[in-house]
Amino acid sequence: RSPATAAKPAMSAPVRTTVALLFAAWFIDYVDRIALAVILPTIGDEFNLDRGQQGLLVSVFFLSYAACQIPGGMLADRFGAKRVTCWALLAWSLFTALTGLAWSFTALLLVRFAFGAAEGVFPSASMKAVVERTSVAERMGAQGLIMSSNSLASVAAPLAVPPLAAVVGWRWAFVLAAGLGVLVYVAVRLRLPPPGERAKNATPAASGVPPREVLRIGVLWRFSLMLFGYAALMWGLSTWIPSYLNSERGLSLTSAGVLVAVPSLAAALGTLLGGRLSDRFEGHHRKVIVPAMSVAAPALCLMALSPSLAGSIACGTIAVFAASLCYMPIFAVPLRSLAPELVGVGSAVIVFGGQVAGMVVPPVLGALADAVSFEVAFAVLALGPAIAAVLAL
């Protein structure tokens, strides 16, 4: 049997520890950022914000988050993945707590901008940490396990944050979330294993390559645009589905959180399966991205057109699952090919595209929902899967 189909050995203890710690870091990362989206109606009522302004609260995070991707990759390559990960955890936990102290819309914008910058240096550091501690054969599977935390956080945040905010207030909910971030920082600081031998010994072909040369690799920017298409769908839905279910379908935020858990669980499963498929197909991304996005685009249109709540949730779940299959294949070629000392800036280029989508899509959809309808806004999201599929070809 070929290496792609042969049974793989179990992960070593250092790899399992790495996966567990980075899973926890990504989980709290996503809970902290999603917490704002799931209680946007409450914040909007307190500060008298329209949907365009609410979308701006989400997009200002992505403005700084996107801007810090490539600098964050350079920092990880220069100072080390563990150190930058710890810096990021402490900084974004601080700004999560400060979100609960904001006294005006302007203050919220400034805090969320700083929060985005703090989280922006984390993704490339995390991916670099995985590359330094895994073999090529197990890398995408390990990364898929870690990134499934994003979708599971998308389940946990809508279920936990609205009830917590109802009990202690939305401000204290952010302070408590910040405390979890500090606990994860301590765990990563004390328990993250050291890099493996491959990362300690730079490969001759990559040694001394300046970051600007990595930035000139055109294929990395095409993968970045693929992630833009994926993230347009994911962030468009995760930002506005709670508000849509609340304002258009008459559900409470708590009930909306329960329904949002369905596509979020599908996303977690899709991310895990996508990582396994990526390893099985030895990084041939087209074999996953083209068919999966060909399902996601029409499913989004059907979701927008469905007259029933059940039909809308079912079609949205199919779209999210199909798109989530593509997340790890988008990263497969660079993470399997780049030397460890170049993974920070290389992965940052790709992540940058996804964060541009997070910056642009929420306010655009919010404006469309105000001007026309949520149904039209969700149908427009079908452009994201189409972009990803075309670029994969």
Side-chain angles (χ1 to χ4, degrees):
R1 290 183 294 179
S2 70
T5 59
K8 295 178 181 178
M11 289 182 181
S12 65
V15 173
R16 290 197 301 271
T17 301
T18 298
V19 168
L21 290 172
L22 293 178
F23 180 99
W26 273 105
F27 184 87
I28 194 62
D29 170 293
Y30 256 64
V31 166
D32 286 353
R33 74 173 79 170
I34 291 172
L36 184 82
V38 299
I39 55 174
L40 263 181
T42 301
I43 295 175
D45 289 342
E46 179 167 332
F47 291 106
N48 194 27
L49 309 178
D50 60 30
R51 290 192 183 114
Q53 290 173 307
Q54 292 175 42
L56 189 59
L57 281 176
V58 177
S59 65
V60 74
F61 160 84
F62 284 104
L63 175 63
S64 56
Y65 191 78
C68 289
Q69 293 302 311
I70 293 174
M74 293 178 177
L75 287 172
D77 286 337
R78 180 171 181 180
F79 296 106
K82 179 177 178 178
R83 185 177 297 178
V84 174
T85 295
C86 289
W87 292 346
L89 272 163
L90 273 182
W92 91 57
S93 297
L94 169 64
F95 290 115
T96 298
L98 289 176
T99 300
L101 301 178
W103 60 91
S104 67
F105 176 58
T106 301
L108 264 178
L109 283 176
L110 292 174
V111 171
R112 296 306 286 182
F113 182 86
F115 173 74
E119 283 202 347
V121 302
F122 171 64
S124 52
S126 170
M127 292 184 184
K128 182 180 179 68
V130 175
V131 169
E132 289 176 337
R133 291 159 176 83
T134 57
S135 67
V136 172
E138 66 187 348
R139 183 162 303 152
M140 302 314 295
Q143 188 68 32
L145 283 169
I146 293 168
M147 300 312 296
S148 68
S149 62
N150 298 355
S151 300
L152 293 176
S154 298
V155 175
L159 291 176
V161 173
L164 181 63
V167 173
V168 302
W170 69 267
R171 295 177 181 277
W172 273 105
F174 280 101
V175 174
L176 293 174
L180 292 177
V182 173
L183 292 177
V184 174
Y185 158 78
V186 172
V188 172
R189 178 71 182 269
L190 297 179
R191 300 303 299 272
L192 187 68
E197 289 301 319
R198 181 171 181 262
K200 294 177 183 176
N201 302 303
T203 56
S207 297
V209 176
R212 65 178 178 273
E213 294 300 323
V214 180
L215 297 178
R216 292 172 183 169
I217 301 175
V219 71
L220 286 179
W221 292 101
R222 290 194 287 277
F223 282 114
S224 182
L225 286 171
M226 286 182 224
L227 196 66
F228 176 94
Y230 160 86
L233 183 158
M234 302 302 287
W235 280 110
L237 292 182
S238 66
T239 299
W240 290 114
I241 283 292
S243 295
Y244 165 72
L245 293 175
N246 178 245
S247 62
E248 303 297 318
R249 299 286 186 172
L251 300 180
S252 69
L253 288 179
T254 301
S255 298
V258 174
L259 282 181
V260 168
V262 177
S264 296
L265 286 171
L269 178 61
T271 304
L272 283 170
L273 183 56
R276 295 297 184 93
L277 289 174
S278 187
D279 279 339
R280 180 173 293 275
F281 293 142
E282 298 182 323
H284 293 126
H285 56 285
R286 295 182 187 89
K287 294 181 179 180
V288 179
I289 295 173
V290 174
M293 289 304 191
S294 297
V295 170
L300 275 175
C301 295
L302 291 173
M303 171 191 163
L305 295 172
S306 176
S308 71
L309 176 60
S312 181
I313 293 295
C315 292
T317 299
I318 292 170
V320 167
F321 174 76
S324 297
L325 289 172
C326 304
Y327 184 81
M328 293 316 306
I330 290 173
F331 285 94
V333 171
L335 290 190
R336 290 171 66 95
S337 304
L338 287 173
E341 62 273 19
L342 299 178
V343 164
V345 66
S347 61
V349 169
I350 302 175
V351 174
F352 176 79
Q355 308 325 313
V356 170
M359 177 176 58
V360 171
V361 171
V364 169
L365 289 192
L368 277 174
D370 278 333
V372 189
S373 68
F374 269 116
E375 289 75 16
V376 170
F378 291 147
V380 169
L381 281 180
L383 291 173
I387 291 170
V390 169
L391 285 166
L393 292 171

